[in-house]
C-alpha cells in the first residue's frame, strides 16, 4: 500500500476539514476535560484562519449515533459577532455543537453496555469527502483540502468496511487524512488512514499541550509539507476486520470476486452472493486463504 | 539608465525598512500583526504559529531539524524575512548556538487574536441609519469602474471619459516613472509603464499605494500611520458601512483619495457620512501573500495567433493593443491578432516576451485555463523567437588595447580581464584584446602597475 | 493439410522413471494406437482421443529427452519418448488438433480440467514473449530459474499466473495500417551530382506503389509493356525522363520528345483514365456545395505554395496544352489517393505483383461502381476500416467482470445498523449512564461558552516541552533511518541479507500462491504439485533461520520480525497440508488406489 503521491501546490491556501470527536462516553472517561480540549481546538482553528484570508475551515462533529457539520467558515450565515471573550467562530461553533449533542442524545436507542462506545467515524469521514468533492468541482482554483481527525474514541470494528472505503476514496482524490489521536490506545483505523493517504498520525504524549501539537504538526499546509519533515508513526497496524463478525483478524478468507474478508469459510459470499467452492466441486471462485501481511 | 523592475511585493520591503522604533509601534496594532503574518512566506507563517506560546528562545537547530534538504533555501528565506521584520529576534549563546525568540508585542497580540478574535476599532453601522447600502455586485462594479477610470487617466489623460478627483499633483506623482514627457510632446509610457499595465490588479494597486505612502511625508502625514491605517482598513468587512466620525482628520483625507481609486465608496446620510470598503480593500492584505490572484480571466489565444478577449473594458483593449493588432471590437468581445509588427512595437517599448506570455496565461479564460498549456505552445514559442530575433546583435561598450610590449604583459592583462569578467575578445597572435568599459579603469590601473 | 495419420517410433512409459517399451505409435484422427516391438509386451494401447484431456511435452533445448505426456480424464497419463524432437513436434501438433476436434463437443467437466491443467501447446510467438519478459525482468528470471528449472513448478504453471503480463506485452503490438505518405511523389527531387549532366531519381517499392495509385496511365502502361516490351529499368528511366521534362516546365521540349518516342508520350500526355474518372466524379458532386475559399484558407503568402513545383507560373501556347499538367490536377489526385488509404496488401517486393494486385482491385471497384449505392457503401466501409487509428484512441481498459452486489442497500444498511448498535467489545469502563455522559459534555460546552477559552491556551513550559519532544522525535527518526527519511527498515540491512530476504519473500509468495490455489486437491496432478511445493517450502524454512543467525547483532531484531512473518505464512500452509493429508488418509482407506 503506497501512500498517495502528494500534489504539488503553488500556494498555501488550504481547506481544513476537522472531524471533532463529540462522543460523550469517551469524554466522560477522558483525562483531558472536553472544555480544555475545545479551547485548544478553537485556538488552533483561529490560528489557521489567521494565516491566510482565503483559508477555509469546516468542522464536522462525530457523535456516537450521528454526525453533522457544526461550522463552516465559508458560509455567510456564520457571521455572528464575537463577544469580548469569544471570537465569532467560537460562538458559532459552540452553539451548533450544543445543538448537535442534544440531537445525538435523542438518537440514542439503548444504553451502551458498560463500555466506551465508538464514534461514527465512517459517517463523518464520508461527509468530509463529500464536502471536498464539492469543492473540487467548484472550479479550477480551489483551496487545497486536507482532513484532520481529532479523535479519541475506540475503533468500531463494525465500521471497518465503510471506513476503508472512505480512506481509499480519499487516497484517490489525493486528500491527506491527518489524525491526532487523544485516546488511550492507538487507533488502527486512523493509523491506516493516515498511512494510506499520506497524512500524519500522531498521539500526543502531553495532552495539556494539544494546541502545540496541532499548531506545530497539523497546522502545516500542504505546500510547506514539501519542505518539512513531519512526525512519522513507527508501526502501523494493518490488520483487517472480517465482514461477518467484525473481528480484527490476522488471517482469513477473501472472496475472490468482491474481496470481502471473512474469518471462516462460508458457503456463499454475504456481500456479492458468489457461491464458494466446496472441497470437491471445482468452481473457479474458490476463496483463497491468504495472509494479509504488512509491507514493512 | 539602470533598469527599473517593478515588483509588487516590495511593499513589505518598505515596511521592513521602517526604523525599529516605528516597527515596534506598528506591532501594537493586532491587525497589522495579522496582515504582516499573512504576508510572510508559508514556512515563516508556520514558524510563527509554532512559537506562539513559547516565551523562551528556541535554538536554530531544533527548527532546522524539521527542514528537508529540498527546503533549506525556503527555510533561509523564511528566517531572513522574520528577522528583517523584527518578528524574530536573534540571540547567540556559546553553548546552544543561535536561537530565536518571537517579538513579545507581536506575540501577545496574536495570542489575544487567537483566543478572543479580532475586534475592529469601529463597528459596522446599523442598517437603520444606512438605509440603502449598495449590493456586493454594485460595489464590485463601482470599484472596477473607478479603478479602470483611474488607470486610463494615468496612462492617457485625454482618453478618460470622466476624470477622477485626484489632484493633478498627485497624479503626477503616480505617473512618475511610468510616463515620460518631453517638452510639448504627448507623454509616452516608459518601459516600467508598460510593465505596470501588464501586472494584475492587486500588484498595480500595491504599486500605487506604495507611491502614495512614500509621498506621504510631503503631505505631513506619518508613513507608519498611513501603513497601519491601510492595513487595518483591509480587515473591514466588504459591503458594510462604517462611520466616518470614528476617523481622524488625516484618515478622512486619505479615505477621499482611496475612494477615487475605488478602494472605498463614500456615502452621505442625513446626519452622518460613512464609507463602505470594496473588494479591492479587502484584497490588500491577500495580495501581499504569495498566493496567486484568484480571478477569472478573459483571454482566449488560438494557435493561429488570434486573440479573443471577452471583456467590455476599454482598459483591456488598451492593454491588448500594446502587443497585438486589434481587429474589431464587439460590445463584449475584442478580437485581435498577434503579429510580428505588433510584437516588435511592444519590444520597442521595453515589454518583454515573458511579460506578454505571463499576461496571457494569467488572464486566460476559464475555458482554456483548465488546459495545459493555457496559451498554445506555438504562440508562446513564436513570441519568444521574435524577441530573440532582436537580440542577435548585442552592443557592449568596450575598449580596445594593443601594442603590448611583451607577451607576458599581454597574457597577464588577459588573465586580469578574465578575472573581472570583462574580457570580450583576444587575439594572441597580434596581441590585441577588447575589454568591457566597466573594467577599463581597473585595467588601466593594472597596466600602469605592470609598467612600474 | 495435415496427413490423416501419423506413424512414429516411440517408447511408451507409464511413469517418468519407467525405462519404457519400444514400439510404434500410430495416430489416427480419432484414436492413437501403440504397438510394442516385442509382441509379448503387455503395453498394447488403443485409446480414443476424446478421453485425452491434455498434453504436455518437454522443450527442445532442455536436457530432457523428447517426451510427450498425454493425460486422460481419469488423471492417468501416457508418456511417449520419441527419437527426435521433430517427431515429437509432429505428434504434438497432431494430438493438439485431434483433442481440439474432440473438444468441439465438450462435456462440462473437460473444460474445467483443461483450466486447472494448462497444456503446453504454445505458439512460438508466445514463447518469444516469455523469453523477452524473462530477459527484461531479472527478478522474474531468478524466480523462474529457481522454481521452473529447479523442477518445483512446470513452465505452464509458472506462466499460468502471469497471463496478464503476457497479455499486456502482446497487446502492445499495433494493428494499425500505415497509409500513404502525404508527401507528393512529384516532390521526389532528382539528385544531381553537379559535375556531370546525369540526374538521378531514387525509387523505392513504396514510391512505385504510390505512383501506380496516383497515375493510372503509368500503371496501365506498366502492365502493358513490362516485361514483354521493355525491362522494368527502362520503363522507369522513361518515366522519370518524362517527369524531369515536366519539372523543367518546358512544354515545347516535352512535345518534341513525345513526337519521337511513343512510350514517352504516354507519360507526358494527360492521363486519360484520370480524366474519365474525374468526369465521373464531377457528375456526382453535389452542386449546392459552396466551394468559395475563405480568409482562413489563405496559403497565398507562402512562396510557391510550399511546393516544389508551381503550375501557376507557366505560360504556354495552346497547342502544347496537351503536354501540360496542372498543379491542381496533381494535388487533387494525390489528395484522393492519400485519403483512400492503402488498399493493396501485398509485400512490396516485386513491382509486377504490386501492379497486378492493384489492377485487380481496380476491376473490383469499377464493378462496384456500376451501382452507385454499393460504391458509397464501399467507401464508407473502407473509411471505417482505415480510420481505425489506435494511437489516437484512448486505451481500452482491461476487460472487467462487473461486480454484482445483490442489493446494495443490504450491504450498507447492515453496516449502519451494526455501527449504531454494537458497542466495542473492550475498553475502559465507563461508569456513567448515557444521560450523565451527555449531560457532562453539554455542561463543558456551556462552560466554555461562558468562561471563554483558556487563556493562555498552553503554558509556555508545556509548549516548549512539546516542541522539543517533537523536534527530538524528528531528529531521532532522521538518525535512525539514515539520511533519507523515506528509507525502510530493509535498507538498513546489509545488501546481501536484504537481497536474500527479498528473494525468499518473492519465492515464498509464489509458492504459497500455487500451494493455496491447488486446494482442494482433485487430481493426482494437483496432489503431486502440492507435494513438490511443500518440499520446496520446507527447504526455504531453515534457510530463513540461517539468515537470522548470520546477521549482525544490531540488525537481529529487524530481521527476526521480517522472518517471523514469512515463517507464519509457511506454518499456516504446512498446517493446512497436514490437516488435509489426515483427512485424505482417512478417506483413502475406503479407496485404496485413489492416487498415484
Amino acid at each position: 500500500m503506497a501512500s498517495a503521491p502528494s500534489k504539488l501546490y503553488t500556494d498555501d491556501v488550504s481547506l481544513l476539514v476537522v472531524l471533532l470527536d463529540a462522543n460523550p462516553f469517551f469524554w466522560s472517561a477522558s483525562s483531558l476535560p472536553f472544555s480544555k480540549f475545545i479551547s485548544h481546538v478553537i485556538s488552533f482553528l483561529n490560528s489557521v484562519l489567521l494565516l491566510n484570508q482565503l483559508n477555509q475551515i469546516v468542522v464536522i462533529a462525530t457523535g456516537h449515533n450521528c454526525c453533522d457539520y457544526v461550522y463552516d467558515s465559508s458560509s455567510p450565515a456564520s457571521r455572528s459577532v464575537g463577544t469580548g471573550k469569544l471570537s465569532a467562530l467560537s460562538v458559532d461553533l459552540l452553539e451548533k455543537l450544543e445543538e448537535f449533542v442534544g440531537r445525538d442524545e435523542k438518537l440514542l436507542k439503548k444504553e451502551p453496555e458498560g463500555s466506551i462506545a465508538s464514534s461514527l467515524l465512517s459517517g463523518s469521514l464520508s461527509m468530509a469527502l463529500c464536502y471536498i468533492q464539492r469543492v473540487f468541482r467548484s472550479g479550477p482554483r480551489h483551496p487545497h483540502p486536507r482532513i484532520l481527525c481529532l479523535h479519541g474514541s475506540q475503533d468500531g470494528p463494525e465500521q471497518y468496511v465503510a471506513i476503508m472505503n472512505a480512506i481509499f476514496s480519499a487516497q484517490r482524490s489525493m486528500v491527506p487524512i491527518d489524525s491526532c489521536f487523544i485516546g488511550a490506545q492507538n487507533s488502527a483505523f486512523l493509523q491506516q488512514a493516515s498511512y494510506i493517504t499520506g497524512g500524519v498520525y500522531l498521539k500526543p504524549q502531553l495532552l495539556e499541550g494539544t494546541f502545540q501539537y496541532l499548531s506545530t504538526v497539523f497546522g502545516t499546509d500542504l505546500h510547506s509539507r514539501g519542505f518539512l519533515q513531519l512526525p512519522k508513526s513507527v508501526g502501523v497496524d494493518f490488520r483487517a476486520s472480517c465482514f461477518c463478525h467484525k473481528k480484527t483478524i490476522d488471517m482469513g478468507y477473501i472472496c475472490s470476486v468482491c474481496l470481502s474478508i471473512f474469518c471462516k469459510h462460508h458457503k456463499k459470499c454475504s456481500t456479492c452472493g458468489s457461491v464458494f467452492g466446496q472441497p470437491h466441486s471445482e468452481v473457479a471462485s474458490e476463496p483463497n486463504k491468504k495472509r494479509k501481511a504488512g509491507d514493512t | 539608465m539602470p533598469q527599473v523592475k517593478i515588483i509588487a511585493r516590495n511593499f513589505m520591503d518598505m515596511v521592513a525598512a521602517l526604523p525599529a522604533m516605528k516597527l515596534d509601534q506598528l506591532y501594537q496594532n493586532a491587525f497589522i500583526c495579522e496582515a504582516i503574518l499573512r504576508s510572510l512566506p508559508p514556512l515563516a507563517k508556520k514558524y510563527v504559529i509554532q512559537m506562539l506560546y513559547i516565551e523562551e528562545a528556541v535554538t536554530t537547530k531544533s527548527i532546522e531539524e524539521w527542514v528537508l534538504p529540498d527546503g533549506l533555501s525556503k527555510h533561509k528565506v523564511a528566517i531572513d524575512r522574520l528577522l528583517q521584520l523584527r518578528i524574530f529576534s536573534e540571540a547567540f549563546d556559546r553553548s546552544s548556538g543561535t536561537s530565536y525568540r518571537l517579538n513579545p508585542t507581536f506575540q501577545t497580540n496574536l495570542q489575544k487574536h487567537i483566543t478572543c478574535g479580532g475586534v475592529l476599532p469601529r463597528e459596522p453601522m446599523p442598517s437603520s441609519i444606512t438605509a440603502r447600502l449598495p449590493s456586493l455586485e454594485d460595489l464590485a462594479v463601482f470599484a472596477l469602474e473607478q479603478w479602470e477610470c483611474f488607470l486610463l487617466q494615468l496612462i492617457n489623460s485625454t482618453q478618460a471619459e470622466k476624470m477622477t478627483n485626484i489632484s493633478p499633483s498627485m497624479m503626477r506623482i503616480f505617473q512618475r516613472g511610468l510616463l515620460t514627457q518631453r517638452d510639448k510632446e504627448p507623454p509616452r509610457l516608459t518601459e516600467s509603464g508598460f510593465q505596470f499595465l501588464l501586472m494584475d490588479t492587486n500588484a498595480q494597486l500595491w504599486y500605487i499605494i506604495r507611491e502614495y505612502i512614500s509621498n506621504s511625508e510631503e503631505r505631513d502625514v506619518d508613513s507608519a500611520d498611513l501603513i497601519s491605517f491601510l492595513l487595518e482598513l483591509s480587515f473591514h468587512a466588504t459591503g458594510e458601512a462604517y462611520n466616518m466620525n470614528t476617523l481622524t482628520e488625516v484618515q478622512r483625507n486619505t479615505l477621499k483619495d482611496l475612494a477615487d481609486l475605488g478602494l472605498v465608496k463614500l456615502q452621505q446620510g442625513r446626519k452622518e457620512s460613512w464609507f463602505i470598503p470594496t473588494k479591492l480593500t479587502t484584497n490588500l492584505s491577500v495580495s501581499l501573500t504569495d498566493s496567486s490572484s484568484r480571478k477569472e480571466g478573459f483571454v482566449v489565444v488560438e494557435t493561429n495567433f488570434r486573440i479573443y478577449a471577452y471583456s467590455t473594458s476599454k482598459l483591456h483593449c488598451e492593454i491588448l493593443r500594446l502587443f497585438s493588432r486589434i481587429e474589431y471590437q464587439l460590445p463584449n468581445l475584442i478580437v485581435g491578432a498577434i503579429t510580428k509588427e505588433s510584437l516588435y512595437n511592444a519590444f520597442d517599448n521595453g515589454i518583454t516576451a515573458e511579460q506578454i506570455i505571463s499576461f496571457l496565461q494569467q488572464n486566460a479564460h476559464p475555458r482554456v485555463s483548465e488546459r495545459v498549456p493555457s496559451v498554445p505552445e506555438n504562440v508562446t514559442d513564436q513570441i519568444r523567437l521574435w524577441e530573440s530575433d532582436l537580440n542577435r546583435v548585442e552592443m557592449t561598450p568596450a575598449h580596445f588595447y594593443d601594442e603590448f610590449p611583451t607577451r607576458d604583459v599581454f597574457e597577464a592583462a588577459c588573465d586580469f580581464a578574465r578575472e573581472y569578467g570583462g574580457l570580450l575578445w583576444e587575439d594572441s597572435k597580434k596581441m590585441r584584446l577588447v575589454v568591457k568599459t566597466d573594467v577599463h579603469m581597473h585595467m588601466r590601473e593594472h597596466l600602469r602597475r605592470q609598467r612600474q | 493439410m495435415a496427413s490423416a495419420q501419423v506413424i512414429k517410433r516411440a517408447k511408451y512409459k507409464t511413469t517418468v522413471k519407467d525405462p519404457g517399451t519400444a514400439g510404434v505409435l500410430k495416430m489416427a484422427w480419432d484414436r492413437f494406437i501403440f504397438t510394442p516391438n516385442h509382441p509379448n509386451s503387455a503395453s498394447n494401447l488403443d485409446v480414443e482421443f476424446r478421453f485425452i484431456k491434455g498434453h504436455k511435452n518437454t522443450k527442445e533445448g532442455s536436457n530432457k529427452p523428447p517426451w510427450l505426456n498425454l493425460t486422460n480424464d481419469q488423471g492417468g497419463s501416457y508418456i511417449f519418448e520419441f527419437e527426435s524432437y521433430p517427431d515429437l513436434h509432429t505428434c504434438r501438433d497432431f494430438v493438439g488438433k485431434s483433442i481440439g476436434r474432440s473438444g468441439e463437443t465438450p462435456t462440462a467437466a473437460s473444460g474445467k480440467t483443461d483450466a486447472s491443467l494448462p497444456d503446453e501447446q504454445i505458439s512460438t510467438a508466445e514463447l518469444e514473449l516469455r523469453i523477452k519478459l524473462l530477459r527484461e525482468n531479472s527478478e522474474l528470471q531468478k524466480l523462474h530459474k529457481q522454481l521452473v528449472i529447479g523442477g518445483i513448478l512446470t513452465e505452464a504453471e509458472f506462466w499460468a499466473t502471469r497471463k496478464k503480463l503476457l497479455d499486456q506485452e502482446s497487446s502492445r503490438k499495433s494493428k494499425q495500417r500505415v497509409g500513404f505518405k502525404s508527401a507528393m511523389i512529384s516532390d521526389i527531387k532528382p539528385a544531381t551530382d553537379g559535375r556531370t549532366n546525369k540526374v538521378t531519381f531514387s525509387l523505392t517499392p513504396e514510391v512505385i506503389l504510390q505512383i501506380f495509385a496516383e497515375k493510372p496511365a503509368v500503371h496501365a502502361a506498366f502492365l502493358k509493356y513490362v516485361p514483354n516490351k521493355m525491362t522494368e529499368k527502362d520503363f522507369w528511366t522513361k518515366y522519370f525522363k518524362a517527369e524531369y521534362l515536366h519539372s523543367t516546365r518546358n512544354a515545347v521540349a516535352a512535345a518534341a520528345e513525345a513526337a519521337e518516342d511513343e512510350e514517352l508520350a504516354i507519360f507526358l500526355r494527360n492521363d486519360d483514365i484520370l480524366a474519365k474518372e474525374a468526369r465521373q466524379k464531377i457528375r456526382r458532386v453535389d452542386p449546392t456545395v459552396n466551394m468559395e475559399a475563405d480568409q482562413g484558407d489563405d496559403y497565398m503568402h507562402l512562396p510557391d505554395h510550399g511546393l516544389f513545383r508551381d503550375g501557376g507560373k507557366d505560360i504556354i501556347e495552346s497547342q502544347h496544352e496537351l503536354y501540360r499538367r496542372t498543379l491542381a490536377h496533381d494535388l487533387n489526385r494525390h489528395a484522393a489517393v492519400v485519403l483512400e488509404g492503402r488498399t493493396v496488401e501485398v509485400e512490396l517486393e516485386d513491382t509486377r505483383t504490386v501492379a497486378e494486385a492493384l489492377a485487380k482491385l481496380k476491376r473490383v471497384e469499377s464493378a462496384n461502381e456500376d451501382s452507385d449505392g454499393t460504391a458509397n457503401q464501399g467507401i464508407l466501409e473502407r473509411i471505417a476500416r482505415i480510420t481505425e487509428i489506435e494511437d489516437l484512441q484512448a486505451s481500452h481498459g482491461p476487460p472487467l467482470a462487473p461486480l454484482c452486489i445483490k442489493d446494495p442497500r443490504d450491504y450498507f444498511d447492515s453496516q449502519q445498523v451494526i455501527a449504531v448498535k454494537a458497542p466495542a467489545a473492550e475498553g475502559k469502563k465507563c461508569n456513567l449512564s448515557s444521560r450523565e455522559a451527555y449531560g457532562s459534555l453539554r455542561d463543558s460546552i456551556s462552560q466554555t461558552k461562558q468562561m471563554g477559552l483558556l487563556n493562555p491556551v498552553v503554558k509556555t513550559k508545556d509548549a516548549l516541552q512539546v516542541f522539543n519532544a517533537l523536534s527530538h522525535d524528528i531528529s531521532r527518526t532522521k538518525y535512525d533511518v539514515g539520511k533519507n527519511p523515506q528509507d525502510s527498515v530493509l535498507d538498513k540491512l546489509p545488501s546481501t541479507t536484504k537481497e536474500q530476504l527479498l528473494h525468499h519473500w518473492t519465492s515464498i509468495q509464489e509458492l504459497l500462491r500455487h500451494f493455496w490455489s491447488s486446494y482442494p486437491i482433485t487430481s493426482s496432478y494437483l496432489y503431486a504439485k502440492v507435494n513438490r511445493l511443500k518440499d520446496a517450502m520446507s527447504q526455504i524454512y531453515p534457510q530463513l533461520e540461517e539468515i537470522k543467525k548470520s546477521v549482525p547483532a544490531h540488525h537481529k531484531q529487524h530481521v527476526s520480525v521480517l522472518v517471523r512473518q514469512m515463517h507464519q505464512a509457511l506454518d499456516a500452509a504446512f498446517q493446512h497440508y497436514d490437516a488435509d493429508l489426515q483427512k485424505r488418509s482417512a478417506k483413502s482407506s475406503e479407496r485404496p488406489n485413489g492416487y498415484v
Side-chain angles (χ1 to χ4, degrees), chain A residues 66-270:
Chain A
C66 65
C67 44
D68 203 359
Y69 298 104
V70 286
Y71 179 74
D72 183 349
S73 66
S74 69
S75 71
S78 71
R79 216 204 273 152
S80 52
V81 190
T83 61
K85 271 191 204 134
L86 286 169
S87 59
L89 182 151
S90 2
V91 174
D92 250 17
L93 194 149
L94 291 171
E95 192 74 42
K96 284 270 195 61
L97 195 60
E98 210 168 14
E99 287 170 26
F100 171 79
V101 172
R103 239 177 304 147
D104 194 35
E105 187 175 8
K106 267 183 215 135
L107 282 170
L108 185 72
K109 298 282 188 339
K110 65 173 184 156
E111 296 266 318
E113 291 138 18
S115 60
I116 297 177
S118 58
S119 319
L120 197 60
L121 181 63
S122 54
S124 53
L125 261 181
S126 313
M127 274 174 107
L129 286 168
C130 289
Y131 191 96
I132 287 169
Q133 285 303 325
R134 203 175 74 201
V135 171
F136 275 148
R137 283 164 174 70
S138 67
R141 320 213 79 189
H142 51 75
H144 313 314
R146 62 182 200 266
I147 297 175
L148 170 59
C149 297
L150 297 172
H151 214 69
S153 314
Q154 278 181 342
D155 290 342
E158 69 280 358
Q159 297 178 53
Y160 174 75
V161 179
I163 287 180
M164 286 317 277
N165 283 342
I167 291 173
F168 287 123
S169 130
Q171 185 200 21
R172 267 182 76 101
S173 36
M174 295 200 211
V175 178
I177 302 179
D178 294 334
S179 347
C180 179
F181 194 75
I182 41 185
Q185 288 118 353
N186 275 318
S187 155
F189 286 168
L190 290 178
Q191 275 179 331
Q192 292 189 40
S194 300
Y195 181 84
I196 292 169
T197 57
V200 182
Y201 177 88
L202 189 76
K203 188 173 174 308
Q205 301 302 313
L206 186 73
L207 288 177
E208 296 295 324
T210 304
F211 174 81
Q212 189 63 35
Y213 285 107
L214 292 175
S215 61
T216 317
V217 178
F218 299 108
T220 320
D221 57 275
L222 298 185
H223 173 67
S224 303
R225 285 183 193 200
F227 322 116
L228 290 180
Q229 163 76 57
L230 293 179
K232 261 180 43 163
S233 40
V234 189
V236 180
D237 188 354
F238 283 112
R239 286 177 304 168
S241 302
C242 68
F243 285 29
C244 43
H245 303 84
K246 320 291 172 197
K247 278 193 303 197
T248 310
I249 52 170
D250 271 328
M251 209 179 291
Y253 293 82
I254 298 172
C255 169
S256 51
V257 176
C258 71
L259 299 183
S260 301
I261 303 164
F262 303 102
C263 60
K264 56 183 189 190
H265 187 264
H266 287 246
K267 282 198 176 126
K268 230 171 130 186
C269 173
S270 63

Side-chain angles (χ1 to χ4, degrees), chain A residues 24 28 39-40 43 86 95 98 104-105 111 114 154 158 161 211-212 229 232 246 272 279-280 286 291, chain C residues 404-405 411 415 418-419 424 426 428-429 432 434 438 442 449 454 457-458 463 474 485 519-520 568 587:
Chain A
S28 56
S39 288
H40 287 283
S43 307
L86 286 169
E95 192 74 42
E98 210 168 14
D104 194 35
E105 187 175 8
E111 296 266 318
Q154 278 181 342
E158 69 280 358
V161 179
F211 174 81
Q212 189 63 35
Q229 163 76 57
K232 261 180 43 163
K246 320 291 172 197
C272 66
H280 283 282
E286 65 193 23
R291 196 188 136 71
Chain C
C404 164
I405 292 179
Y411 174 71
Q415 290 298 323
I418 302 164
E426 67 224 291
K428 244 191 285 176
K429 267 285 198 195
L432 293 175
S434 63
Y438 277 105
R442 260 201 304 257
K449 253 162 89 178
L454 285 181
V457 175
V458 198
I474 298 273
Y519 280 96
Q568 278 176 352
K587 263 189 206 161

Side-chain angles (χ1 to χ4, degrees), chain C residues 302-561:
Chain C
L302 290 173
D304 278 3
H305 298 251
L307 284 169
F308 177 55
R309 207 162 62 201
D310 177 16
K313 284 181 193 153
D314 357 30
I315 305 151
I316 306 169
E317 303 93 285
S318 54
Q319 72 260 38
H320 299 305
E321 182 70 24
L322 190 61
Y323 297 107
R324 212 192 75 194
R325 277 201 321 240
T326 61
L327 177 70
H329 263 157
D330 284 355
L331 257 180
N332 282 338
R333 179 64 195 162
H334 175 69
V337 169
V338 168
L339 284 180
E340 207 166 86
R342 172 162 308 186
T343 44
V344 189
E345 288 174 60
V346 281
E347 291 290 320
L348 295 172
E349 277 161 9
D350 182 22
T351 324
R352 181 79 200 173
T353 43
V354 171
E356 275 163 3
L358 200 63
K360 205 164 105 193
L361 200 88
K362 279 273 160 65
R363 275 198 296 279
V364 174
E365 267 173 22
S366 58
N368 281 347
E369 266 165 43
D370 290 345
S371 53
D372 234 13
T374 47
N376 272 338
Q377 188 67 25
I379 287 164
L380 281 179
E381 269 170 20
R382 201 163 51 226
I383 284 171
R385 187 153 44 91
I386 283 161
T387 52
E388 193 192 333
I389 299 172
E390 281 172 341
D391 46 7
L392 297 185
Q393 275 168 359
S395 63
H396 301 288
L400 293 174
L403 168 64
C404 164
I405 292 179
K406 279 175 295 177
D407 185 358
R409 261 178 319 172
D410 278 355
Y411 174 71
F412 287 105
D413 283 353
S414 68
Q415 290 298 323
Q416 193 66 25
V417 168
I418 302 164
V420 174
K421 270 191 208 156
E426 67 224 291
K428 244 191 285 176
K429 267 285 198 195
C430 168
N431 36 23
L432 293 175
S433 75
S434 63
R435 257 197 54 204
E436 283 169 315
Y438 277 105
S440 79
L441 187 60
R442 260 201 304 257
D443 283 348
S444 46
I445 292 172
S446 51
Q447 186 196 340
T448 317
K449 253 162 89 178
Q450 274 165 11
M451 306 293 290
L453 304 182
L454 285 181
N455 202 1
V457 175
V458 198
K459 292 191 202 93
T460 313
K461 187 174 66 87
D462 291 343
L464 192 63
Q465 191 190 334
V466 167
F467 180 69
N468 284 338
L470 282 172
S471 301
H472 181 71
D473 260 9
I474 298 273
S475 69
R476 211 194 48 213
T477 47
K478 245 193 209 170
Y479 228 61
D480 260 8
V481 176
K483 285 184 194 89
N484 185 356
Q486 263 80 42
D487 285 347
S488 71
V489 188
L490 268 178
D491 291 323
K492 283 187 297 174
L493 301 175
S495 62
T496 47
T497 323
K498 178 187 156 191
E499 259 166 44
Q500 274 180 335
L501 276 175
L502 281 178
H503 177 65
H504 280 308
W505 180 237
T506 43
S507 53
I508 286 174
Q509 286 205 314
E510 178 76 15
L511 290 171
L512 282 175
R513 185 158 51 228
H514 284 285
F515 179 82
W516 288 115
S517 64
S518 327
Y519 280 96
I521 296 174
T522 50
S523 67
S524 60
Y525 169 75
L526 283 176
Y527 184 75
K529 185 180 169 187
V530 164
N531 273 331
R532 263 183 291 139
L533 291 167
K534 199 214 111 197
D535 290 344
M537 287 194 292
S538 40
Q539 270 168 21
I540 292 180
Y541 208 91
Q543 282 175 13
L544 288 174
E545 287 291 344
E546 261 170 47
I547 291 177
K548 216 160 88 178
K549 276 185 206 131
S550 67
V551 289
H554 56 282
H555 290 315
K556 211 149 227 164
Q557 198 204 336
H558 297 301
V559 174
S560 68
V561 169

Side-chain angles (χ1 to χ4, degrees), chain B residues 169-448:
Chain B
S169 64
M170 185 70 82
M171 208 50 164
R172 238 165 283 137
I173 291 165
F174 292 146
Q175 284 171 342
R176 190 173 59 188
L178 301 179
L179 293 177
T180 53
Q181 185 161 26
R182 292 206 199 98
D183 26 55
K184 281 176 194 165
E185 273 175 50
R188 274 189 57 209
L189 276 172
T190 63
E191 268 180 48
S192 31
F194 282 107
Q195 292 175 7
F196 172 79
L197 283 183
L198 293 186
M199 295 193 296
D200 66 40
T201 315
N202 283 328
Q204 290 170 338
L205 190 59
W206 273 114
Y207 178 83
I208 294 297
I209 294 285
R210 208 176 78 100
E211 291 293 303
Y212 186 76
I213 291 172
S214 61
N215 177 249
S216 61
E217 306 284 349
E218 289 169 29
R219 283 172 283 131
D220 286 334
V221 179
D222 184 31
S223 59
D225 283 352
L226 200 56
I227 290 172
S228 84
F229 176 60
L230 276 165
L231 289 179
E232 191 183 287
L233 203 60
S234 68
F235 285 93
H236 288 61
T238 312
E240 296 282 349
Y242 297 93
N243 203 322
M244 286 286 261
N245 62 19
T246 53
L247 303 173
T248 64
E249 182 61 35
V250 176
Q251 288 173 337
R252 239 172 288 172
N253 285 336
T254 310
L255 217 49
K256 270 179 206 144
D257 291 334
L258 296 183
D260 283 329
L261 294 178
L263 285 169
V264 290
K265 190 175 171 70
L266 300 178
Q267 276 189 331
Q268 184 78 43
R270 232 173 289 154
K271 277 187 211 146
E272 291 165 279
S273 58
W274 55 84
F275 65 92
I276 309 160
T278 68
K279 200 98 192 156
L280 285 179
T281 315
T282 37
N283 276 347
L284 273 181
S285 62
V286 176
S287 57
L288 286 175
T289 65
D290 267 342
S291 339
S292 40
S293 64
R294 290 159 181 260
K295 61 170 186 182
E296 290 219 328
F298 58 94
V299 183
V300 178
V301 183
E302 289 187 340
T303 49
N304 58 7
F305 293 83
R306 290 206 155 204
I307 298 182
Y308 298 89
Y310 291 87
S311 167
T312 51
S313 151
K314 213 169 169 186
L315 183 71
H316 286 156
C317 185
E318 287 302 308
I319 291 174
L320 290 177
R321 205 186 289 283
L322 290 179
F323 58 86
S324 66
R325 187 184 72 216
I326 301 299
E327 289 179 340
Y328 34 89
Q329 256 182 293
L330 303 176
N332 68 339
L333 178 70
I334 305 160
V335 180
I338 298 179
T339 65
K340 197 169 172 180
E341 289 70 36
S342 73
L343 278 176
Y344 276 7
N345 245 335
F347 297 146
D348 278 348
N349 284 322
I351 303 176
T352 65
E354 282 314 313
Q355 280 172 332
I356 295 171
I357 292 167
S358 77
F359 173 82
L360 292 176
Q361 282 167 344
Q362 276 168 16
N363 291 294
H365 194 274
R367 281 287 178 81
V368 288
S369 67
E370 286 163 25
R371 257 182 257 155
V372 178
S374 52
V375 180
E377 260 168 349
N378 71 324
V379 176
T380 53
D381 287 349
Q382 189 60 66
I383 293 177
R384 288 197 188 101
L385 281 176
W386 274 329
E387 186 189 40
S388 63
D389 272 358
L390 295 174
N391 300 334
R392 278 195 212 147
V393 177
E394 200 179 337
M395 307 254 254
T396 312
H399 283 254
F400 177 72
Y401 303 79
D402 63 350
E403 292 180 8
F404 284 91
T406 64
R407 184 154 294 275
D408 287 344
V409 175
F410 168 73
E411 268 159 18
C414 282
D415 289 343
F416 180 81
R418 207 173 283 132
E419 229 166 78
Y420 274 82
L423 182 67
L424 292 173
W425 178 79
E426 61 174 314
D427 176 3
S428 58
K429 246 185 216 159
K430 295 187 177 164
M431 294 204 284
R432 302 180 296 185
L433 76 155
V434 174
V435 174
K436 276 188 196 161
T437 305
D438 315 350
V439 195
H440 178 57
M441 289 309 283
H442 298 287
M443 199 66 191
R444 222 162 53 182
E445 291 265 305
H446 169 78
L447 290 175
R448 197 166 295 150

